[in-house]
Amino acid sequence: MKLLMAAGIALSLACISAAEAPSNYETYYGGVRVDSDPRLLNHYNRVLAYCDREASLPQRGSPYPYDTWHILALRSCLYRYSFVDRGVHSYPANWFWGHVFEQ
């Protein structure tokens, strides 16, 4: 049982994409896309720069930008600043459930 749980955690961490495109992100309150407003896009870019530096610290993430821990720390920081990734490839379950609910 512990082996299956460890394998599940490893697979879930391996399937996380590093989507940083503003078109994939929206605000937590209201669901406004980031690229729809220039002021919001400017705020997103400033938060992304801050969160990228924070995710590069060994205490939070990893200095390697393509590492899973770096991506998780980056998404966590963006979420704290109320930017939520809503892209199709943000989580593997979104692709499956998105097609189920469309039909």
Side-chain angles (χ1 to χ4, degrees):
M1 184 68 176
K2 289 182 182 180
L3 182 63
L4 287 175
M5 189 167 38
I9 290 171
L11 285 174
S12 68
L13 291 176
C15 294
I16 296 174
S17 68
E20 294 178 16
S23 60
N24 288 343
Y25 280 88
E26 62 184 31
T27 60
Y28 184 75
Y29 301 105
V32 178
R33 284 181 42 173
V34 170
D35 60 349
S36 66
D37 182 20
R39 291 186 307 152
L40 190 58
L41 183 61
N42 188 22
H43 180 64
Y44 170 78
N45 288 332
R46 282 185 279 133
V47 169
L48 180 63
Y50 173 78
C51 289
D52 194 35
R53 284 191 307 269
E54 182 181 304
S56 297
L57 297 174
Q59 297 90 355
R60 297 286 300 167
S62 171
Y64 306 110
Y66 299 109
D67 190 30
T68 304
W69 295 114
H70 179 84
I71 296 166
L72 288 173
L74 181 66
R75 283 193 175 183
S76 173
C77 182
L78 286 171
Y79 191 76
R80 278 196 324 263
Y81 286 97
S82 74
F83 291 110
V84 180
D85 189 1
R86 295 292 185 203
V88 175
H89 302 290
S90 59
Y91 300 99
N94 286 0
W95 176 82
F96 175 74
W97 291 112
H99 290 295
V100 168
F101 290 129
E102 285 177 0
Q103 299 182 19

